Amino acid sequence: MLLVTDRITCGCDLKAYRRGDITGVYTNDTPVKYLISLINKHGGSVGAVLALTTDKAATAYDMLCDTLKKYSTETDIAVPVPELIPVSEDSIADTISDIISHVRAGDRIWIDTTGDLCNSSYLLLALARILEYSHVRLERAVYSNYESHAVEDVTDTYRLFDLINGVDCFASYGNSDGLISFFGESADPAVKAALSAMNDFSDAVALCRTADLDSILDRLNSGLAQLSEMHSDSETEMLFKSLSGAIRDKFGIGSRSSIDMTDVMLWCVDNKMIQQAVMIY
C-alpha cells in the first residue's frame, strides 16, 4: 500500500529531484517512483496508490497518473492507477476516514509526505498513528526537499512517536512491549540492560510476583542509571536516555536516585492497579 499527497509546484528552474538514480521534475513523481522501486526491490508489489488531492491540484493528479504509467512501462513494474482522495483543510476527518476505508489489517504503507497544504505532514502523521491501531505498519516516509531538490527519508522522525509512546506505556502501566519492539536487537549494553529489567518488572507487576520485585527493582534502578550515563551515536538511543528521567519522575522519586517498593506501590495506586498495590503492600 502506498499513500501519496499532492503538490502542484515544481522546481522553478525545472532542476530534477533525485533519489539515487531515480529523478523527476515534479515534487511528487521522484519520491513515488523511488518508493515503488523500493517495494519492488524487496519482492513486494504495490496494491494501491492513494493520491490525496486538493481541488486546485487536479492537473498535478493527471500528471502523476501519466508519469506512473510511463514509469511502469519503462521498468516493467506493475503500478495501479492512483485513486484520488479529495482533501481540504476543512475536511481532515473525512479524508482520514476515506483512507482508512481503503486499508485492511496487515497492510503496509509507504508515504510521500510532500504536500501543498500547510498541515499535510500533520495529517499524514496522524494517519500513520491511527492506522497502527488497525495493525497497518508504516514502512517508509519520504518527501521532496524543495531547496536541495533531493528526496529525504523521514521515517525515523515518524517512528520517534513509537519511542515516546513506548516510554509512556511503561511509565504509566508498566508495559515494556512497545520499547522492546522499537529497539529490537539494539547492541548498546545500557539499552539492553534497561529493557531487560523493564520487561521483568512488567511481568512481575502484571502477575503480582511480589517476591521477585526486590531483585528486579535493583536491576531496574541500575539499568536506568546506566541509561542516564550512556553515550551513543544513535539519535533514538540518546532520546531514550533523555526520556529515562521522565520514567523516574513518573515513579515520584524526586531527587532520590532510585525507585523503592513504596514508590512502586503508590505508582500502582496512581495508575489504578489496585490489586497490584495491595499485593505489594
Side-chain angles (χ1 to χ4, degrees):
M1 182 67 69
L2 174 70
L3 306 184
V4 299
T5 58
D6 68 297
R7 178 100 180 213
I8 60 173
T9 55
C10 63
C12 296
D13 56 358
L14 295 183
K15 179 181 177 181
Y17 289 83
R18 178 177 294 276
R19 178 75 185 198
D21 59 354
I22 296 176
T23 61
V25 173
Y26 302 98
T27 52
N28 279 122
D29 59 350
T30 306
V32 173
K33 287 189 290 186
Y34 165 67
L35 291 174
I36 291 171
S37 70
L38 197 62
I39 294 168
N40 182 72
K41 180 180 179 181
H42 289 88
S45 60
V46 180
V49 177
L50 307 183
L52 312 189
T53 311
T54 60
D55 290 340
K56 67 178 182 178
T59 303
Y61 170 74
D62 293 338
M63 289 189 296
L64 178 65
C65 291
D66 291 341
T67 298
L68 293 186
K69 183 177 180 180
K70 183 182 297 183
Y71 178 74
S72 177
T73 301
E74 292 172 349
T75 60
D76 198 28
I77 298 175
V79 181
V81 177
E83 300 178 47
L84 191 151
I85 305 291
V87 59
S88 74
E89 294 190 6
D90 298 325
S91 62
I92 299 302
D94 292 338
T95 300
I96 291 177
S97 296
D98 199 356
I99 294 170
I100 290 175
S101 70
H102 284 75
V103 299
R104 297 176 297 177
D107 281 347
R108 296 179 296 164
I109 59 172
W110 286 257
I111 300 178
D112 165 30
T113 68
T114 313
D116 204 35
L117 294 177
C118 294
N119 59 1
S120 290
S121 296
Y122 300 106
L123 164 64
L124 290 171
L125 176 59
L127 174 67
R129 304 303 299 170
I130 291 170
L131 290 177
E132 284 182 2
Y133 289 104
S134 301
H135 304 288
V136 175
R137 175 179 170 79
L138 171 66
E139 291 291 339
R140 192 67 63 94
V142 299
Y143 83 102
S144 288
N145 187 319
Y146 185 75
E147 296 297 327
S148 65
H149 288 266
V151 175
E152 308 285 352
D153 192 316
V154 291
T155 310
D156 287 344
T157 302
Y158 272 59
R159 288 183 175 156
L160 285 179
F161 289 88
D162 293 331
L163 171 57
I164 295 169
N165 185 60
V167 169
D168 180 63
C169 283
F170 179 78
S172 298
Y173 314 109
N175 188 323
S176 61
D177 291 348
L179 286 171
I180 291 173
S181 175
F182 180 86
F183 283 106
E185 299 297 327
S186 172
D188 190 284
V191 173
K192 292 174 68 174
L195 292 179
S196 176
M198 288 177 176
N199 187 53
D200 289 345
F201 176 83
S202 176
D203 289 343
V205 170
L207 299 174
C208 296
R209 292 177 177 168
T210 54
D212 300 332
L213 268 179
D214 274 323
S215 60
I216 291 173
L217 271 183
D218 287 341
R219 289 175 50 219
L220 180 60
N221 284 315
S222 175
L224 290 175
Q226 290 181 56
L227 203 60
S228 67
E229 298 174 358
M230 174 185 68
H231 297 284
S232 171
D233 293 331
S234 166
E235 291 184 3
T236 54
E237 289 179 352
M238 292 305 291
L239 180 57
F240 187 29
K241 170 184 177 178
S242 299
L243 292 172
S244 65
I247 295 174
R248 296 173 180 273
D249 292 342
K250 193 72 174 181
F251 280 90
I253 65 175
S255 60
R256 290 182 288 116
S257 61
S258 61
I259 304 166
D260 62 25
M261 199 70 78
T262 303
D263 296 323
V264 177
M265 181 180 65
L266 294 175
W267 170 80
C268 287
V269 172
D270 289 341
N271 291 286
K272 311 302 180 186
M273 292 183 280
I274 306 303
Q275 180 180 354
Q276 286 83 350
V278 170
M279 291 294 293
I280 293 170
Y281 178 76

